Amino acid sequence: MPPLLKSLDTDLVALNRDRLPQTIAAKTRRFYDVISTIYPLSSYIFHARAHKVALEMAGVRDGMQVLEIATGSGEMFRKLVKANGSGKTYGIDISPRMAARTHKQVRQDFPKAKAHCHAVDARYLPFRPNSFDAVFCCYLLELLSRDDIILMLSEVHRVLRRNGSFSLILIGSNESAFFNGLYEVAGSIIPAFWGRQMQAEGAEILRAAGFHIQHEVLVKQSGYSSRVLQIVKD
Ligand SMILES: C[S@@+](CC[C@H](N)C(=O)[O-])C[C@H]1O[C@@H](n2cnc3c(N)ncnc32)[C@H](O)[C@@H]1O
């Protein structure tokens, strides 16, 4: 074997021994890439109302530095860019197709806005510490393993300025046994799409990551419930 390949091979063996946190990120990226053209429908039917509430609760003012993590097909991102016309709005999503679609639409709809969306993994944010006044993240935590949630929250904590606003939307978990049962079945069939519902551990992980929850509102749309959390960096 050529020396370069041999050293690569040794590195791969070492990597396998030194196992990274369990994650389904690669599967999630592939899955959301495939459904990127039909995803907007699901976002309008189930998420639009919760997006609106999160935006109102965060009190985004024009001129801010705003980040949205896991934009999906960009329904919330466009609301943020509209509210922050002369500020800077960044979006990221692990699925290259979702990010490209969001970027293209926002460039078409708001050609003068300083708004960009790129394919980036939320566990490793390419921004300097204390860069943002407000960070939004809707329906992502359910798709991340506990280790990945901790990595992602520590990145949010790093890039958000002190007393900055963190808006998080989680899927509601304590409303109806029917909804919870349906979610459990769907999540066990396609975990990379549905993930799993977050119970009380959401609040516990947030506190451990250096955040505190200021307000929490339950929003329902089309039989689907969402928990909208307004959080502050301590
Ligand atoms: C359920 S969708 C939510 C989309 C959008 N936030 C909304 O409110 O409709 C989850 C999104 O998270 C993205 N995602 C999953 N894992 C990610 C990661 N590690 N980093 C960034 N985005 C991720 C997926 O590609 C998908 O677009």
Side-chain angles (χ1 to χ4, degrees), residues 8-221:
L8 248 180
D9 197 46
T10 323
D11 284 351
L12 285 176
V13 173
L15 254 182
N16 275 339
R17 253 189 256 119
D18 176 25
R19 292 195 51 192
L20 292 171
Q22 284 265 318
T23 179
I24 56 164
K27 267 192 192 154
T28 307
R29 182 181 61 226
R30 282 197 297 277
F31 196 86
Y32 276 91
D33 248 6
V34 170
I35 60 161
S36 63
T37 49
I38 53 165
Y39 188 79
L41 189 63
S42 140
S43 191
Y44 281 119
I45 296 174
F46 299 117
H47 300 164
R49 197 171 290 164
H51 286 161
K52 190 165 172 277
V53 171
L55 186 60
E56 284 163 7
M57 276 165 74
V60 167
R61 292 181 311 280
D62 196 4
M64 283 183 161
Q65 298 262 5
V66 176
L67 170 67
E68 187 188 0
I69 293 175
T71 57
S73 41
E75 290 67 33
M76 179 66 165
F77 192 64
R78 285 194 292 284
K79 285 189 173 64
L80 292 172
V81 175
K82 195 171 176 193
N84 191 32
S86 53
K88 289 186 182 159
T89 315
Y90 295 90
I92 64 120
D93 196 285
I94 199 169
S95 150
R97 285 199 183 149
M98 287 287 201
R101 185 191 165 89
T102 300
H103 185 76
K104 190 173 164 205
Q105 287 208 337
V106 100
R107 300 298 336 140
Q108 271 170 8
D109 296 351
F110 307 94
K112 290 193 178 145
K114 291 179 189 121
H116 302 271
C117 185
H118 295 293
V120 168
D121 188 331
R123 296 170 300 171
Y124 312 102
L125 295 176
F127 302 106
R128 293 202 178 118
N130 309 312
S131 299
F132 294 100
D133 303 300
V135 175
F136 288 77
C137 178
C138 313
Y139 310 100
L140 170 66
L141 261 54
E142 289 80 4
L143 298 171
L144 302 180
S145 68
R146 193 183 162 90
D147 287 347
D148 286 348
I149 292 175
I150 292 166
L151 274 177
M152 176 259 175
L153 289 178
S154 73
E155 281 292 81
V156 174
H157 196 270
R158 183 181 65 75
V159 301
L160 189 60
R161 68 162 172 74
R162 196 151 183 263
N163 297 321
S165 151
F166 179 29
S167 306
L168 188 63
I169 306 185
L170 302 172
I171 294 162
S173 60
N174 46 9
E175 275 300 285
S176 93
F178 177 71
F179 180 83
N180 293 348
L182 208 62
Y183 206 96
E184 211 175 313
V185 173
S188 66
I189 299 170
I190 323 177
F193 179 61
W194 293 101
R196 46 96 178 80
Q197 286 173 298
M198 304 278 302
Q199 309 287 340
E201 77 260 30
E204 170 228 315
I205 299 175
L206 280 164
R207 267 193 298 275
F211 294 103
H212 75 264
I213 299 172
Q214 276 190 324
H215 300 293
E216 177 168 347
V217 174
L218 196 72
V219 177
K220 281 198 167 183
Q221 184 180 0

